[in-house]
Amino acid sequence: LPLSSAANLRPGAEQKVVFITARVHPGETPSSFVCQGIIDFLVSHHPIAKVLRDHLVFKIAPMLNPDGVYLGNYRCSLMGFDLNRHWANPSPWAHPTLHGVKQLIIDMYNNPKINLEFYIDIHAHSTMMNGFMYGNIFEDEERFQRQAVFPKLLCQNAEDFSYSSTSFNRDAVKAGTGRRFLGGLLNDTSYCYTLEVSFYSYILGGPASAVPYTEEAYMKLGRNVARTFLDYYRLNSLVERPLGTTPKTR
């Protein structure tokens, strides 16, 4: 799609960047469908997608563990590493995808013309239902509260996303994950999340009304994640509305 008109892509322009990664755990196939939904929406002709492209830069690494996926591994890479525990010091030889992505993120963070505002790592969960997020805990109460804004907005846009299941933690076991490591590396204007989605179903209405996930439902969640940035950045007024017929008066 032609992007030359986007002000944020002109030379020297300040860029707001949303960085999204997926499939660091090869067996978590739903994460790929969610990520596909995000990508398909962002490159579409949808009026919301056009506004998002004009105001934000999306960097997406849809498969952080390609060798593990190719081999059919559940959690590890070709060499037997759980890559989502090696963000702190990834080896260019043993963890090349992490090393490359981390270096790109650091380069953007050090670029005064780039504001790296979001990092979202997409996973799938084997025991919980719905979509939900993990975030970080900060001593700064205001920063902690600001971090809750995006998942709250996503909950309004996606019927299968649960804010009540969203949690904020600093579990030592998760210290080497992308969300935890980058949350400590980036400054207080950056928000880092793990987006989880159930392997099997989401609940609508009550505990007895579980709806099985389909590929399309996962991709719909991805579309709703993308749409939520419109609300977060308050860009709704810029969306072109299709011309409709004049409503009849009573």
Side-chain angles (χ1 to χ4, degrees):
L1 296 177
L3 299 175
S4 57
S5 62
N8 61 347
L9 295 180
R10 292 172 187 157
E14 188 172 293
Q15 297 180 350
K16 293 180 179 179
V17 173
V18 175
F19 206 109
I20 298 171
T21 57
R23 209 68 185 275
V24 71
H25 291 144
E28 297 175 8
T29 51
S31 68
S32 282
F33 291 111
V34 174
C35 191
Q36 190 68 52
I38 294 173
I39 295 170
D40 288 350
F41 182 79
L42 290 176
V43 301
S44 73
H45 292 284
H46 196 287
I48 292 177
K50 182 181 184 304
V51 171
L52 292 176
R53 291 196 303 268
D54 285 347
H55 290 82
L56 302 169
V57 174
F58 289 86
K59 301 282 189 181
I60 303 176
M63 190 173 288
L64 283 180
N65 196 341
D67 53 342
V69 170
Y70 176 79
L71 290 170
N73 291 352
Y74 180 73
R75 195 169 180 88
C76 295
S77 65
L78 168 66
M79 298 181 66
F81 291 109
D82 179 346
L83 296 181
N84 205 37
R85 296 296 183 272
H86 289 275
W87 277 92
N89 190 27
S91 160
W93 179 73
H95 325 107
T97 53
L98 283 202
H99 183 271
V101 168
K102 179 183 172 182
Q103 193 58 53
L104 176 59
I105 289 174
I106 290 174
D107 289 346
M108 288 191 297
Y109 177 65
N110 291 329
N111 187 333
K113 289 292 186 180
I114 294 177
N115 293 322
L116 182 53
E117 306 213 332
F118 280 89
Y119 171 75
I120 299 176
D121 189 27
I122 309 173
H123 288 250
H125 205 284
S126 59
T127 59
M128 293 182 68
M129 291 205 251
N130 295 72
F132 58 95
M133 279 179 152
Y134 292 124
N136 296 312
I137 290 178
F138 304 105
E139 303 301 332
D140 181 351
E141 181 65 22
E142 183 187 353
R143 184 182 183 189
F144 181 74
Q145 294 296 333
R146 291 200 312 267
Q147 184 188 212
V149 172
F150 188 85
K152 283 180 178 178
L153 291 173
L154 178 55
C155 187
Q156 295 173 10
N157 289 333
E159 62 183 4
D160 57 322
F161 184 85
S162 170
Y163 184 76
S164 61
S165 295
T166 293
S167 64
F168 304 91
N169 64 65
R170 54 172 133 206
D171 185 348
V173 176
K174 303 291 183 68
T177 65
R179 181 259 307 181
R180 279 291 310 281
F181 175 76
L182 294 173
L185 173 73
L186 306 178
N187 63 28
D188 62 359
T189 62
S190 303
Y191 301 103
C192 300
Y193 305 93
T194 300
L195 172 61
E196 296 272 4
V197 63
S198 173
F199 266 104
Y200 49 100
S201 63
Y202 57 98
I203 299 172
L204 292 180
S209 55
V211 180
Y213 265 112
T214 62
E215 294 175 8
E216 173 55 32
Y218 287 130
M219 288 191 281
K220 182 180 179 182
L221 176 59
R223 293 194 293 270
N224 285 327
V225 168
R227 285 169 176 263
T228 300
F229 288 105
L230 188 83
D231 299 327
Y232 182 85
Y233 287 102
R234 299 177 181 177
L235 300 171
N236 305 70
S237 62
L238 302 178
V239 178
E240 294 180 7
R241 307 293 179 186
L243 295 176
T245 55
T246 304
K248 295 179 179 179
T249 55
R250 288 176 180 265

